[in-house]
Amino acid sequence: MKTLLILTGHTKGLGHAILEKFCEFLDTHIVALSRGSLEINHPRITEVPLDLSDLDALETQLPKVFPKEAFDRYVLINNAGWIGEVKPVGKLNPKGIQRALNLNLVAPMILMDAFVKAYGPSEGQKVICNISSGAAHRPLSGWGEYCASKAGLAMFSQVANEELKELGFRVFSLAPGIVDTAMQSEIRQAELNDFPALGRFMEYKSEGLLSTPEEVAAKIFYLIQHPGLFTEVVQDVRRF
Ligand SMILES: NC(=O)c1ccc[n+]([C@@H]2O[C@H](COP(=O)([O-])OP(=O)(O)OC[C@H]3O[C@@H](n4cnc5c(N)ncnc54)[C@H](OP(=O)(O)O)[C@@H]3O)[C@@H](O)[C@H]2O)c1
């Protein structure tokens, strides 16, 4: 199946594992957006270096993100994310709040809207997978920016799925579980005073409870291959 994948946050962690998983399939054209670049020299992979929390820059780059050619399947995976400032309300910074909300919520909304404009009338399968978190549905002290942004993304995904099913889109908000990436290292560097659950996150690592990015990417790939098997918008990879 000739597939277009638009993927954010491909340079490391879960996004990089998703990129590699899709690369196994020769008929996939990939547009990948992160601040950095892997300097990939491949005719089917286009890297667009971009800070997604800079919304003006995102708007300027949008025309480069959506190829005009026809595909059998169109996939958008909003994966890029940041844990935000790990601090309680009252110790946050305006710029940190903006950066977290722009990257985790507003940029995915803008990309979804543009994806629907670009491919809404197209034939073929259309799947949007927003990488969310269990934290979208559970408050955690010190994670106000992160929880709020992921909760917003989960709700936007549910609204979009309602609105877009007539156009043949499926939208998912997917929690990937606890994955051994740079984001988890950053979480473990938080101050205990600011993040009371720090000890629990240290134990996840020391007890080997984190999934590998490759394990989770394989599950996301399965979801994209078989969207009809998943009826709910909100999904958690630990349940499949
Ligand atoms: N790891 C976990 O346990 C866990 C748990 C639940 C949910 N998640 C979610 O899973 C997703 C992937 O997380 P991860 O753990 O793989 O994180 P990660 O290892 O920190 O990787 C984040 C990716 O996003 C890109 N990125 C970060 N800031 C960006 C920006 N301003 N503009 C453009 N790209 C940016 C990074 O590339 P550059 O640095 O090159 O920009 C990188 O490729 C996130 O949405 C996260 O919230 C992770």
Side-chain angles (χ1 to χ4, degrees), residues 67-182:
K68 299 228 183 316
E69 92 190 71
F71 293 85
D72 302 316
R73 177 169 58 176
Y74 302 85
V75 181
L76 168 64
I77 303 183
N78 278 306
N79 163 76
W82 178 45
I83 192 63
E85 301 173 277
V86 182
K87 293 175 190 303
V89 180
K91 288 173 80 175
L92 302 175
N93 294 289
K95 288 277 182 288
I97 294 171
Q98 288 174 51
R99 183 179 157 209
L101 274 286
N102 284 354
L103 176 62
N104 294 354
L105 175 59
V106 186
M109 289 170 68
I110 290 172
L111 284 168
M112 284 170 69
D113 182 61
F115 182 76
V116 174
K117 283 176 179 139
Y119 305 122
S122 306
E123 298 292 322
Q125 229 182 43
K126 292 163 271 192
V127 183
I128 298 173
C129 181
N130 294 321
I131 305 301
S132 180
S133 167
H137 311 284
R138 215 173 29 250
L140 203 53
S141 293
W143 282 17
E145 293 170 356
Y146 189 69
C147 290
S149 59
K150 293 294 188 181
L153 186 60
M155 180 53 79
F156 192 72
S157 305
Q158 291 172 89
V159 172
N161 191 62
E162 272 308 301
E163 293 172 345
L164 299 172
K165 56 186 170 201
E166 299 297 317
L167 282 173
F169 285 83
R170 286 298 311 277
V171 184
F172 295 104
S173 170
L174 179 126
I178 302 166
V179 196
D180 200 357
T181 65

